[in-house]
């Protein structure tokens, strides 16, 4: 009987293994997770580690280090970096960031199709408040402004529209939302956040994730991967300086800074990014308790993690946590970082660590399986080369959404005239208006993470005043913008008209 039982178990196991191995990863009808497992079995160690490598786009390289200003195609000389092109062809690059044109996205994906397994690339960008780094895309109000709307439904709509515009340019992954709970007004990245309240940050972040990814995480052609960042507690940095250390009790960590990330995981966020800073002396990019015990074992996160820009290297250069950059790469992967964002020598360091036995190959398999699953879910294997179905300029509807969000985000603290009961706003055809400040006639009002847009697409405060009050006399004093540079000399040399001074008294 025992012999018969063992034979039955062996046969069942053989049938199960045969069934798994028979899955064709090229078959689009097979679930993404199964396709990923099947493809993983076909990959060499080099190809696996290649999926963990993300590089900055060639056109983003500074002058003198490539060919950033050429119209590129899938040729070495126009791509601007032959070594990088060869890496793609060998399957040693899995992702890119800051691909600024759809033409470049096409070129990179075409190169990936020349690799042995033709695994497409993940193309990511910082679409923090709209895909605003690309000219012509809709620029929505910054997150701190969106927090003032207290309108999560509108945030979800903006996420969906942002994803739609991203996919038109070939991007399928945004490093957003920023779920830092901002508790220090000196911190320069407050504008990227939804403010200081954990509940509001959680709700707005969750809705943005749903908008970007879709509520069912089906990742249709109009959705992208979201990335919750920065894990964790960077919003109350020592001295208000970005990336400075954070000392915090576990109680405060869980009560204040963790809830938005719990909400993100529950919303199905696909990717997660560790923070620049240290937590109680341990850099987040090297913190296995944070990335393994808390994020995966306790919260149940199923996606993949990506380092912030060059932050693995900073384990050595800034935190002095390890003896050299090679040890930094190994330590980060051991701690739970799945993709290295930008930089050389990561590939070689991880390959050598696996071959020496320092890093088990299963650790690499776990990371790559999640990356491949996302690529299959996005439909990149069926449609690796992006094809824009319509022009971004058709987004009049999206601009209307941005306008409505700006209106809802306005906060009026006081509305009287120098202590009198008379209301100042709304203005009723004033004879004269005095307009001052460096942002009065500048695209600075678009906020951070936004590239300069065509003047015809941007209405500055000054433009708005001219349109709304064509019969009013507008006295101006601009420090910056179209009038003068923002510097001490420009300010001191500018004189307010004497009659305006008298009026202000």
């Amino acid at each position: 009987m025992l012999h018969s039982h063992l034979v039955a178990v062996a046969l069942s196991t053989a049938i199960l293994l045969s069934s798994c191995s028979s899955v064709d990863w090229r078959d689009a009808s097979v679930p993404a997770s199964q396709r990923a497992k099947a493809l993983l079995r076909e990959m060499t160690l080099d190809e696996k580690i290649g999926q963990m490598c993300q590089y900055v786009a060639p056109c983003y390289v500074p002058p003198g280090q490539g060919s950033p200003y050429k119209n590129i195609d899938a040729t070495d000389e126009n791509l601007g970096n032959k070594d990088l092109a060869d890496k793609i062809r060998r399957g040693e690059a899995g992702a890119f960031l800051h691909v600024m044109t759809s033409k470049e996205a096409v070129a990179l994906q075409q190169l990936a199709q020349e690799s042995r397994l033709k695994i497409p690339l993940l193309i990511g960008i910082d679409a923090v408040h709209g895909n605003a780094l690309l000219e012509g895309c809709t620029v929505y109000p910054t997150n701190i402004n969106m927090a003032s709307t207290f309108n999560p439904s509108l945030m979800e709509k903006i996420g969906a529209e942002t994803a739609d515009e991203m996919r038109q340019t070939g991007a399928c992954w945004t490093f957003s939302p920023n779920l830092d709970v901002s508790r220090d007004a000196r911190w320069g990245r407050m504008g990227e956040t939804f403010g200081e309240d954990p509940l509001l940050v959680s709700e707005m972040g969750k809705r943005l994730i749903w908008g970007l990814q879709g509520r069912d995480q089906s990742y249709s052609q109009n959705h992208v991967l979201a990335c919750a960042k920065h894990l964790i507690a960077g919003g109350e940095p020592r001295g208000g300086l970005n990336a400075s250390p954070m000392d915090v009790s576990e109680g405060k960590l869980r009560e204040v800074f963790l809830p938005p990330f719990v909400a993100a995981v529950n919303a199905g966020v696909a990717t997660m990014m560790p923070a620049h800073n240290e937590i109680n002396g341990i850099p987040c990019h090297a913190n296995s308790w944070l990335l393994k015990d808390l994020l995966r074992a306790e919260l149940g996160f199923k996606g993949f993690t990506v380092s912030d820009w060059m932050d693995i290297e900073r384990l050595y250069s800034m935190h002095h946590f390890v003896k050299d950059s090679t040890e930094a790469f190994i330590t980060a992967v051991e701690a739970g970082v799945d993709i290295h964002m930008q930089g050389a020598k990561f590939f070689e360091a991880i390959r050598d660590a696996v071959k020496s036995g320092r890093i088990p190959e299963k650790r690499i398999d776990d990371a790559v399986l999640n990356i491949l699953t996302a690529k299959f879910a996005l439909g990149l294997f069926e449609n690796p080369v992006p094809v824009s179905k319509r022009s971004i300029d058709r987004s009049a509807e999206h601009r209307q959404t941005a306008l409505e969000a700006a209106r809802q985000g306005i906060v009026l603290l006081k509305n009287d005239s120098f202590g009198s009961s008379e209301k100042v706003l709304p203005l009723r055809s004033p004879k004269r208006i005095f307009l001052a400040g460096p942002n009065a006639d500048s695209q600075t009002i678009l906020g951070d993470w936004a590239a300069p847009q065509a003047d015809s697409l941007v209405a500055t405060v000054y433009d708005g005043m001219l349109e709304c009050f064509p019969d009013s006399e507008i006295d101006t004093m601009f420090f910056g913008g179209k009038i003068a540079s923002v510097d001490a000399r420009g300010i001191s040399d500018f004189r307010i008209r004497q009659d305006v001074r008298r009026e202000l008294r």
Side-chain angles (χ1 to χ4, degrees):
M1 291 294 291
L2 179 59
H3 176 72
S4 299
H5 177 71
L6 291 174
V7 170
V9 170
L11 287 173
S12 298
T13 303
I15 292 171
L16 179 60
L17 291 172
S18 175
S19 174
C20 291
S21 62
S22 66
V23 170
D24 185 354
W25 57 268
R26 300 172 186 83
D27 186 351
S29 67
V30 176
S33 59
Q34 293 185 29
R35 296 176 74 185
K37 290 177 182 178
L39 175 56
L40 187 64
R41 286 192 290 270
E42 303 292 326
M43 298 173 68
T44 66
L45 176 61
D46 283 6
E47 288 168 335
K48 292 175 184 178
I49 298 174
Q51 291 300 301
M52 301 172 70
C53 298
Q54 182 179 46
Y55 296 97
V56 69
C59 280
Y60 198 74
V61 176
Q65 300 179 32
S67 302
Y69 302 115
K70 291 183 178 179
N71 291 322
I72 67 168
D73 53 33
T75 59
D76 297 344
E77 62 272 18
N78 284 335
L79 193 60
N81 189 326
K82 185 179 187 303
D83 179 62
L84 188 55
D86 287 342
K87 284 181 182 292
I88 300 172
R89 291 190 177 101
R90 293 195 301 266
E92 295 176 5
F96 277 81
L97 72 154
H98 287 189
V99 175
M100 306 306 289
T101 67
S102 57
K103 189 170 185 178
E104 186 176 22
V106 168
L108 293 169
Q109 294 288 19
Q110 286 176 341
L111 280 172
Q113 290 303 295
E114 297 180 29
S115 64
R116 184 178 75 91
L117 294 171
K118 297 178 169 50
I119 300 175
L121 302 165
L122 278 177
I123 294 179
I125 196 165
D126 285 283
V128 177
H129 53 108
N131 197 22
L133 289 177
L134 273 67
E135 184 176 348
C137 288
T138 308
V139 182
Y140 298 91
T142 58
N143 288 344
I144 197 68
N145 197 175
M146 288 306 304
S148 298
T149 70
F150 290 91
N151 190 340
S153 297
L154 184 58
M155 191 73 260
E156 185 173 350
K157 183 179 182 182
I158 288 173
E161 292 179 357
T162 298
D164 182 40
E165 293 191 10
M166 286 177 60
R167 289 303 287 262
Q168 291 179 54
T169 63
C172 54
W173 182 18
T174 174
F175 307 114
S176 175
N178 186 326
L179 299 181
D180 287 310
V181 177
S182 182
R183 289 296 182 95
D184 192 323
R186 297 172 298 178
W187 185 45
R189 301 187 68 169
M190 284 190 65
E192 296 177 49
T193 77
F194 294 111
E196 77 282 2
D197 180 69
L199 178 60
L200 181 60
V201 175
S202 299
E203 189 64 21
M204 297 296 278
K206 176 184 75 175
R207 291 300 193 95
L208 179 53
I209 291 166
W210 280 351
L212 292 166
Q213 297 188 168
R215 290 202 179 201
D216 59 355
Q217 285 84 52
S218 60
Y219 303 114
S220 70
Q221 291 297 306
N222 294 326
H223 288 102
V224 300
L225 304 179
C227 181
K229 65 181 187 183
H230 306 81
L231 192 68
I232 190 168
E236 194 176 344
R238 185 179 299 168
L241 300 176
N242 189 49
S244 64
M246 178 64 176
D247 294 316
V248 59
S249 68
E250 187 171 344
K252 185 174 181 179
L253 192 74
R254 291 180 176 276
E255 181 180 348
V256 175
F257 298 106
L258 187 60
F261 294 96
V262 175
V265 172
N266 292 339
V269 70
T271 71
M272 190 78 66
M273 180 183 290
H276 304 292
N277 53 283
E278 300 171 10
I279 292 291
N280 300 333
I282 302 177
C284 292
H285 280 70
N287 195 325
S288 61
W289 172 81
L290 180 67
L291 299 177
K292 289 182 178 179
D293 299 344
L294 181 61
L295 179 60
R296 294 200 181 274
E298 182 177 332
L299 301 187
F301 175 64
K302 303 299 183 185
F304 62 86
T305 58
V306 58
S307 71
D308 208 336
W309 180 284
M310 303 293 286
D311 268 355
I312 295 181
E313 287 83 346
R314 291 190 182 98
L315 294 179
Y316 166 64
S317 64
M318 183 175 79
H319 297 287
H320 307 293
F321 190 73
V322 292
K323 65 180 181 180
D324 55 33
S325 60
T326 297
E327 189 66 20
F329 297 137
I330 296 171
T331 300
V333 171
E334 287 178 327
V337 177
D338 296 324
I339 288 185
H340 171 243
M341 180 187 282
Q342 177 53 19
K345 301 181 180 179
F346 173 84
F347 176 91
E348 293 79 8
I350 301 305
R351 180 180 59 188
D352 292 345
V354 174
K355 289 184 175 180
S356 70
R358 168 79 181 270
I359 296 178
E361 189 165 351
K362 185 183 183 303
R363 167 69 188 101
I364 305 302
D365 289 348
D366 290 343
V368 176
L369 184 63
N370 290 328
I371 296 166
L372 293 177
T373 299
K375 290 185 176 184
F376 280 117
L378 285 165
L380 294 179
F381 282 83
E382 285 64 54
N383 299 288
V385 179
V387 179
S388 179
K389 296 180 180 179
R390 54 189 179 273
S391 169
I392 296 175
D393 290 336
R394 62 98 190 153
S395 57
E397 176 187 343
H398 295 182
R399 290 195 290 272
Q400 189 61 37
T401 302
L403 177 60
E404 179 60 26
R407 286 170 172 163
Q408 291 190 25
I410 292 173
V411 176
L412 180 62
L413 298 179
K414 198 172 184 181
N415 190 18
D416 60 35
S417 178
F418 298 103
S420 73
S421 60
E422 181 182 353
K423 302 300 181 186
V424 175
L425 300 176
L427 296 175
R428 298 175 180 84
S429 301
K431 293 182 179 180
R432 303 180 70 182
I433 299 171
F434 175 57
L435 183 61
N439 299 328
D441 195 29
S442 167
Q443 289 199 20
T444 305
I445 59 171
L446 294 178
D448 55 11
W449 297 105
Q453 303 289 321
D455 286 339
S456 61
L457 299 176
V458 181
T460 67
V461 175
Y462 181 60
D463 293 333
M465 288 289 188
L466 289 176
E467 181 178 345
C468 292
F469 305 107
D471 299 326
S472 299
E473 181 181 350
I474 301 179
D475 292 304
T476 59
M477 183 179 72
F478 299 157
F479 302 147
K482 298 175 182 177
I483 305 301
S485 299
V486 183
D487 56 40
R489 180 178 178 182
I491 293 174
S492 63
D493 287 350
F494 202 96
R495 296 292 181 267
I496 308 175
R497 285 172 38 180
Q498 191 63 33
D499 54 346
V500 176
R501 284 187 174 184
R502 283 196 297 268
E503 228 175 79
L504 287 176
R505 291 173 185 160

